[in-house]
Amino acid sequence: LWACATNACIEPHLFSSFAPLVKASVDKYSSQELATIGWAYAVANVAPPSLFNDAFINACFEKKNEFNLEDLCQLHQWQIWQEELKSNIRL
């Protein structure tokens, strides 16, 4: 997903098809992986409703002391995207 987003290879179906796999493992990802996932979906502008939920927020919260500056920048971009979507999801 990161490679696709980085190279502007945005195929919504691809991102949507990965959402269930990402959701199933969200509690196992590192802080960097969580940030990258959020950033990639924001860049792709694909918002699977079941992916960015309480489980994603809780996983980020549990790793809040592990995020580096780049991770925080990616999560900030994800948060701005959530605001653009007018979602109620907040970090």
Side-chain angles (χ1 to χ4, degrees), residues 12-88:
H13 179 71
L14 174 69
F15 280 81
S16 294
S17 67
F18 272 102
L21 299 170
V22 172
K23 180 184 177 189
S25 300
V26 75
D27 60 332
K28 297 178 180 114
Y29 292 127
S30 69
S31 56
Q32 180 185 11
E33 290 166 330
L34 290 168
T36 301
I37 289 165
W39 175 83
Y41 276 89
V43 169
N45 197 27
V46 176
S50 64
L51 179 56
F52 299 114
N53 56 17
D54 289 340
F56 181 81
I57 300 301
N58 290 339
C60 289
F61 184 76
E62 289 174 8
K63 297 186 179 354
K64 67 181 179 184
N65 295 324
E66 299 174 26
F67 291 110
N68 64 30
L69 183 58
E70 183 177 347
D71 299 336
L72 293 172
C73 289
Q74 287 180 321
L75 286 174
H76 179 71
Q77 186 170 358
W78 175 84
Q79 184 63 61
I80 291 170
W81 176 60
Q82 291 300 310
E83 292 170 12
E84 288 174 1
L85 294 174
K86 300 191 185 326
S87 79
N88 293 323

